[in-house]
Amino acid sequence: MNTSQLYTKQQIILRVAIPSPLRRIFDYVLPETDLEFAPSIGARVLVPFGRQTLTGTITAIADNSTWPIKQLKPIVQVLEAEALIPNKLRELLLWASNYYQYPLGLLLDSAMPAWFRKNKTLELKTALPSTIIPTTPLELNLAQQQAIDQVTANFGIFKPFLLDGITGSGKTEVYMQLIAAAIAANKQTLILIPEINLTPQTLARFQQRFPVPIAVLHSQITEKTRATAWLQAKQGIAPIILGTRLATFTPMKNPGLFIIDEEHDLSFKQQDHFRYSARDLLLKRAQLEQCPIVLGTATPALETWHNVKQQRYQRLVLPVRAGVAQKPVIEIVDIRHKKLDHGLSHYLLAQIKEHLDNKNQVLLFLNRRGYAPVIMCFKCGWHQTCQRCDSNMILHAHNQTLRCHHCEAQTAIPSACPKCADPGITAVGLGTQRIEQALAKHFPQANISRVDRDTVHNKKQLESMLDAVHAGTTDILIGTQMLAKGHHFPNLSLVAIVDIDSALFSADFRATERIGQLITQVAGRAGRGNKLGKVILQTTHPENILLNTLVHKNYHEFLELLMQERKATKLPPYSYQALIRAEAKNPASANDFLNMVKQQLAACQLQVNCQGPIPAPMEKRQGFYRAQLLLQTDKRKILQTVLNQTLPNIEAHKLARSVRWSVDVDPLDMY
C-alpha cells in the first residue's frame, strides 16, 4: 500500500534509521504505554528488525505513514529521552549520508563510540588540577602574527583559511596561540592530524602549553578511553579535542575553532565502508557551527588551491622558517649509467659520510618496506607472485620469508626456481631492509634505525625510536611514509629520497601531485635547527619538467603546472567523480553487476560520462576479482542527482546480492 494513511493522535509513528546496509528509513509505532515518555528526534530506541533486535536512531516523529498500521511493529524500548548526538552534529551526519551515499543508520551508529552502542553508561570523574607548568608562547614573526589576527577576527562566523606555510615555518605555534585565544573566549577547538603516530608528540606539545583537559580520539585507544574523551568534549570539560579523522564526529558543547594539520594528506580520506573526506566534512561542520576553520600545510592539495584561486578560502602565508632555520638546498642526482650499491650512488654515500663526520644525522627515505620487491629467476623469467592478489611477494630478509603486503600471505623462499629448477634465484629491487644492510656495510660504526611497519608495531616502539633521534644516539634514519611529515629533528642535516621514479610515471593521475607533496614534506625534515640542510633526489629522469619546477622554483609553481594539466584534461578539481566498485570470486559476476549499473545510469538521461566497467588496477586482491565504473561530470549537483535516482534500483536488483559493491564519491585512490 503506497497511499498515506492518517492515524489517531494516540498513534505516534517513529521513523528510525537502522544500522543496516539498506538505504532507507523504517517506520515503527510508539506503544500507547510509552506515550507520556515520547523520545526526541535523535534518541536511540530498540526495535525489532527481522529476527533481530537492533538499536536505531529516531530521525522523525509523525502521525502518518505510507504503510498500514497493522504492518508497523512497535518499538521494544526507548533507550534515552534526549539524543546523545547534538542537533548540529546530527545535521552534519545526515548531510554526509546523502552526499557520500552511505546508509544513515550505519553512519549514526558508527559516529558514536562502541561503549555507548553497547548501551553502557559512563560517569566522568572531576578533573584534578593540572601539575604541568605551562611553557611560554614563542615569539612570533610578522607573518605568524598577521595569520593569528586574521583568524581571531573571524571568531563566531564561518570562514575557511589556508595556512600556507613552508616546512618549519611555525604553523604549530600559530595553532597553539589560536587555541589560547579560543580558550580565552570560552570556546573549544578541534584539531585533526593525519597519522596516529604523530599523536604522542603533538599531544605532548599541547600538554606542555595548556594545563587543561585534552580529549584525544583515534583508533588505537580503548573503547572506554574513547567514550570518556567523547563525553569530555560533549560536556565542554575538554577545551581541546585532538585526533585523527574519526575525531571529525566528536560532539562539542562550545565549538569555536576547527584546525586540520597537513590538510593535503591522503589519510584524511577513509578508503573503506564510509568513504568520506574528513577535511571536507570538517569544512561543512564549520559552516553549520559558524566557526572559522584553518587548513594548514606546506603542500596544499589541488582542490584546496583551486578554492583559494576561486576566493572561497583566504590564504595566509608563512614564507620563512621560524627562528634561524633556513630552507634546505635540494639537489637532483642523475643515476643513469651509474653503478649503484643497493640503490645508493657513490655521490650519496660520500655525502652521508661527510654529514656523519660533521656529527649530523641523516635520513634516507624509501616508501617500500621489506628487503626487495620481487625475487626472480633470470634464466626463465619466473618471479614469485601472490596466489590471492595480483602482486609480487616481497622478500623479508630478517626472517627469510616472502610476504604479500596486501593480504599478508607468507611463504618460504624456494631453494630453486619452481619453473626451471635453476638455483640462481635473485632478489631484485630495493626495500628499506636492503638499504639498511648496505648502510651497515659502509658505516659499521653508525647507529642505524629503520622506521617502518615491520619495526614499529605500537606507539611505545615509535616513541622509543624518536627519543633516540632527539637524544642524538641515532646517526642514520631509514624510513617510509611514517617519517615524511610532522617530525622535528634539529640535528638532521641530510635527507635523501633514494627512488622517486616509480611515482613520476604512475597510472594514477594524482600520483604526480603526491610525489610533489612527498618530496617537499620529506625535504622539510632537513635543516630545521641552526644547520643548513641538504636534500638529494636520486632519479633516472633528471630532465622531468615537473620535478625541476618543484626543485628550482617552488611548490606553488609546480601546483600551477598541475592545474593547467587538470584543466586541459577535465580532471578534478575541474570535474566531479564517483567510483562504483564491485568484487566477486568470479570476475564475470563483478562485470555483470557493473554493466547493469551502467544501464541504470543511462536511463537517467543526464550528462554523466561513464567509463567502464574495467578491471581495477590490481584486479585480484585477497582472492576477489575487482572491477570498477567511473562516473564523471562537470556539475556536482548532476552527479548527486544521478546517484540518488539510480542507487535504490541498483540496491534492489538481484545482481547486487552476487557481489560486494560500494560507492566512492570524490575518490582519491583508484586502486
Side-chain angles (χ1 to χ4, degrees), residues 338-357:
K338 301 288 176 63
K339 185 178 180 181
L340 304 179
D341 187 345
H342 295 293
L344 307 175
S345 65
H346 290 306
Y347 177 75
L348 175 56
L349 288 168
Q351 287 292 304
I352 293 172
K353 183 178 185 304
E354 180 181 324
H355 283 258
L356 290 180
D357 288 345

Side-chain angles (χ1 to χ4, degrees), residues 538-553:
Q538 291 194 152
T539 178
T540 57
H541 298 275
E543 73 292 337
N544 182 277
I545 294 174
L546 287 167
L547 184 59
N548 277 275
T549 301
L550 185 67
V551 171
H552 299 301
K553 294 184 180 179

